[in-house]
Amino acid sequence: MTKKNIRVCCGMTCSVMGSGKIMRKIQESTGLKPGEKNEEIDLNYCACTGNCHLAPSIVVNGNFIHEGKEETIIEEIEKIASLPPQDNSVTDATLEEIMNNDFLGDI
């Protein structure tokens, strides 16, 4: 079982606010691409989390990181990874959702 289930929102607002940059930073740190996993991490995009006013949103083991910053995202993930889950209803984004929300061409 993986220890960190990381999902980066690919909704329109999160995309415009930098979710693509955040995903690249996580990829750089983990060596994984969206949709890949290893013993420690399961990484993917998720559909809109409904927290557009706090974009970009990242979900780690059911816990939200709001207004995520590329510079601090790895530390924030480590900090909340062991907390009890707040929301387990976040679903992976479909390819269609990712393509439809890639307004900046960076996802």
Side-chain angles (χ1 to χ4, degrees), residues 41-56:
I41 297 168
D42 181 350
L43 180 63
N44 211 341
Y45 283 104
C46 66
C48 179
T49 64
N51 294 290
C52 303
H53 61 294
L54 298 169

Side-chain angles (χ1 to χ4, degrees), residues 20-30 70 73-74:
K21 290 179 183 177
I22 288 173
M23 178 60 91
R24 281 191 296 284
K25 182 70 174 184
I26 297 168
Q27 286 179 249
E28 212 175 84
S29 175
T30 63
E70 180 184 2
I73 193 60
I74 303 305

Side-chain angles (χ1 to χ4, degrees), residues 11 13 24 30 54 60 85 87 101 107:
T13 305
R24 281 191 296 284
T30 63
L54 298 169
V60 181
D87 184 353
N101 290 317
I107 294 181

Side-chain angles (χ1 to χ4, degrees), residues 10 93-105 107:
C10 72
T94 64
L95 181 58
E96 183 179 10
E97 287 172 316
I98 293 170
M99 298 308 291
N100 286 339
N101 290 317
D102 190 14
F103 300 101
L104 301 178
I107 294 181

Side-chain angles (χ1 to χ4, degrees), residues 1-104:
M1 185 169 124
T2 57
K3 296 181 182 176
K4 292 183 196 111
N5 185 16
I6 303 171
R7 297 296 181 265
V8 178
C9 181
C10 72
M12 178 175 57
T13 305
C14 285
S15 294
V16 170
M17 295 299 289
S19 64
K21 290 179 183 177
I22 288 173
M23 178 60 91
R24 281 191 296 284
K25 182 70 174 184
I26 297 168
Q27 286 179 249
E28 212 175 84
S29 175
T30 63
L32 297 173
K33 294 178 183 175
E36 294 182 342
K37 61 182 164 182
N38 61 26
E39 313 77 47
E40 295 288 320
I41 297 168
D42 181 350
L43 180 63
N44 211 341
Y45 283 104
C46 66
C48 179
T49 64
N51 294 290
C52 303
H53 61 294
L54 298 169
S57 292
I58 300 88
V59 185
V60 181
N61 298 344
N63 295 294
F64 286 88
I65 298 171
H66 296 297
E67 299 176 345
K69 305 278 184 266
E70 180 184 2
E71 303 79 22
T72 58
I73 193 60
I74 303 305
E75 293 82 14
E76 291 180 74
I77 288 170
E78 292 301 325
K79 190 172 15 175
I80 71 164
S82 62
L83 297 176
Q86 295 175 358
D87 184 353
N88 285 322
S89 66
V90 174
T91 59
D92 289 351
T94 64
L95 181 58
E96 183 179 10
E97 287 172 316
I98 293 170
M99 298 308 291
N100 286 339
N101 290 317
D102 190 14
F103 300 101
L104 301 178

